[in-house]
Amino acid sequence: EVQLVESGGGLVKPGGSLRLSCAASGFTFSSYSMNWVRQAPGKGLEWVSSISSSSSYIYYADSVKGRFTISRDNAKNSLYLQMNSLRAEDTAVYYCAREDDSSGYIDYWGQGTLVTVSS
Amino acid sequence: VIWMTQSPSLLSASTGDRVTISCRMSQGISSYLAWYQQKPGKAPELLIYAASTLQSGVPSRFSGSGSGTDFTLTISCLQSEDFATYYCQQYYSFPWTFGQGTKVEIK
């Protein structure tokens, strides 16, 4: 069974940093591209970042470029999102998401972790 | 950036109804479109990919159609468990973008 479990969310002040983690199990993690997608309270879905299976290709939404860094450790079956210079508008549930066969659509989602940026 | 217009934003319907949700792109994306269902407090779930391919385990009352710029999600006979919010997503080019969502509520 595919499982994606996020951790690392919490309350942080504007300008602060946070590192999210996603522990993957039930599939060959090193064979799949992975993504972070977020959802602000009461709002729709927003794609944040994507990383290919070997970390060769990395993409970011303009809204986070230069502030967020996606990475992965295939030996640990883990995905990360380093978030710096956080803003109030980064407040959201952050989902770790598996991309089907590098095709672009998401076939599995984690349960999400809430990040709140507030003073 | 490929912009998406999803409509309607709110759809009131009854059990047994046939409902249709539309997603229109600012430029052609061939068939690189997915549909997701999200229930309150839960992560989204994949319903359809490649515009019309049903994900394994998804009931056949769900169907997708379209290519290029205009796409449709149809629920042929609405069930109680289908009341949820639905999103389209294009994966033709980065940045991936999602539609604004359509909430299907009980009339």
Side-chain angles (χ1 to χ4, degrees), chain B residues 13-67:
Chain B
S14 302
T15 304
D17 284 353
R18 178 185 179 89
V19 301
T20 299
I21 298 169
S22 170
C23 202
R24 177 165 287 178
M25 308 296 136
S26 60
Q27 64 185 77
I29 62 166
S30 184
S31 296
Y32 293 95
L33 187 98
W35 290 97
Y36 303 90
Q37 177 194 68
Q38 187 179 34
K39 295 182 179 178
K42 300 292 187 181
E45 293 185 358
L46 177 66
L47 295 175
I48 287 169
Y49 61 93
S52 61
T53 303
L54 206 62
Q55 172 71 346
S56 175
V58 174
S60 58
R61 62 181 179 272
F62 291 92
S63 64
S65 64
S67 67

Side-chain angles (χ1 to χ4, degrees), chain A residues 35 37 39 43-45 47 50 59 95 99 103-107 109-110, chain B residues 34 36 38 42-46 49 55 87 89 91 94-96 98 100:
Chain A
N35 297 266
V37 177
Q39 187 169 36
K43 302 297 184 182
L45 301 168
W47 170 79
S50 177
Y59 303 92
Y95 294 102
E99 186 178 327
S103 59
Y105 60 88
I106 293 167
D107 61 352
W109 301 69
Chain B
Y36 303 90
Q38 187 179 34
K42 300 292 187 181
E45 293 185 358
L46 177 66
Y49 61 93
Q55 172 71 346
Y87 295 93
Q89 178 229 338
Y91 51 98
F94 284 106
W96 294 349
F98 289 88
Q100 301 91 328

